[in-house]
Amino acid sequence: MYYWDYKGLYILLTDEEEDEIIRSLSDNNPIALIGYNTDYKTRKLWEKKINTHLLNFLLDNHEEFNRKYVFRSWYNEEAQKYFPMFLDAYGRATKLATIGSFDGDELLDDSIESVLLDTNKKIYQISLFNKSIIPKKIPKVNGRISFYSNNIEKIAGTVTNFVLMTKHFNIRFGEKIIRVIMHGK
């Protein structure tokens, strides 16, 4: 996964998209891809090339760039796979939430959850933050949401404004607020 931002525009490249860009920029040279994935210095050089490529693509064809990288839509297994990375990108951009428990989150006692929940299913936890007006201040955990990963049905939107749809509720991750909408019966 590759995070990129430019003047408030945030994107997340999947591993496949990242590899596709390297293949394209290297004229399908397999050594370039291997070096990118194994050598720190080579990776740093390729990251500069990727950043330049993304910026040029954005400036040359804004609409196509948005269609390919900005607005995302994933379903079922693909949504379940990409959700943690997408939420991580969201957290980097907005500072409102992150995937997992954050800094000794003591709001809920995990021992009760671990006894009651089926341990064979993967559980995603989201830590929610109060947005600080002081830059670089460690955020304060305001709440936490936990759910089974296999409940995710769809993700749609941009890194800073997307909806997570599950079997039981939807979460709207906005630029300034996060809303949980429960499904009625």
Side-chain angles (χ1 to χ4, degrees):
M1 303 310 274
Y2 191 83
Y3 304 101
W4 186 74
D5 69 273
Y6 176 72
K7 295 185 177 182
L9 175 68
Y10 298 89
I11 66 167
L12 171 72
L13 298 177
T14 65
D15 291 337
E16 295 81 11
E17 291 166 335
E18 193 176 357
D19 291 350
E20 177 186 318
I21 291 172
I22 292 171
R23 276 192 227 96
S24 170
L25 295 175
S26 71
D27 293 326
N28 258 345
N29 181 349
I31 303 298
L33 193 55
I34 292 169
Y36 178 75
N37 288 314
T38 59
D39 181 56
Y40 178 78
K41 288 182 183 178
T42 303
R43 182 177 193 86
K44 288 296 171 195
L45 291 172
W46 276 107
E47 284 177 350
K48 288 179 183 177
K49 291 179 183 182
I50 291 171
N51 291 341
T52 301
H53 167 77
L54 292 171
L55 181 58
N56 289 337
F57 186 18
L58 172 66
L59 297 175
D60 291 344
N61 194 339
H62 187 75
E63 285 184 29
E64 182 63 25
F65 183 86
N66 283 341
R67 195 172 11 264
K68 189 167 184 176
Y69 296 126
V70 177
F71 185 83
R72 299 308 190 127
S73 183
W74 294 300
Y75 297 87
N76 301 316
E77 291 83 19
E78 201 172 44
Q80 294 163 21
K81 174 183 173 183
Y82 291 128
F83 174 68
M85 283 75 72
F86 208 60
L87 186 64
D88 184 52
Y90 172 80
R92 291 172 188 230
T94 66
K95 311 290 189 262
L96 292 176
T98 192
I99 192 75
S101 184
F102 181 80
D103 197 32
D105 182 1
E106 298 175 6
L107 290 175
L108 294 174
D109 182 5
D110 286 341
S111 61
I112 294 172
E113 287 180 354
S114 61
V115 170
L116 296 176
L117 296 175
D118 181 353
T119 56
N120 293 326
K121 293 182 181 176
K122 186 172 187 172
I123 298 172
Y124 285 145
Q125 293 182 14
I126 303 170
S127 294
L128 308 171
F129 303 122
N130 281 340
K131 192 160 187 173
S132 175
I133 57 172
I134 303 169
K136 298 189 180 186
K137 183 180 178 200
I138 295 174
K140 182 178 182 234
V141 176
N142 193 29
R144 186 172 67 184
I145 301 169
S146 300
F147 55 92
Y148 290 124
S149 64
N150 65 350
N151 283 335
I152 295 175
E153 295 177 330
K154 182 178 180 181
I155 298 172
T158 68
V159 165
T160 57
N161 189 9
F162 72 97
V163 64
L164 168 72
M165 298 176 190
T166 74
K167 295 174 183 172
H168 308 291
F169 57 88
N170 296 343
I171 305 176
R172 175 72 185 256
F173 293 91
E175 290 184 26
K176 297 182 180 183
I177 192 168
I178 299 170
R179 294 184 192 110
V180 178
I181 300 120
M182 301 302 291
H183 294 191
K185 288 201 173 202

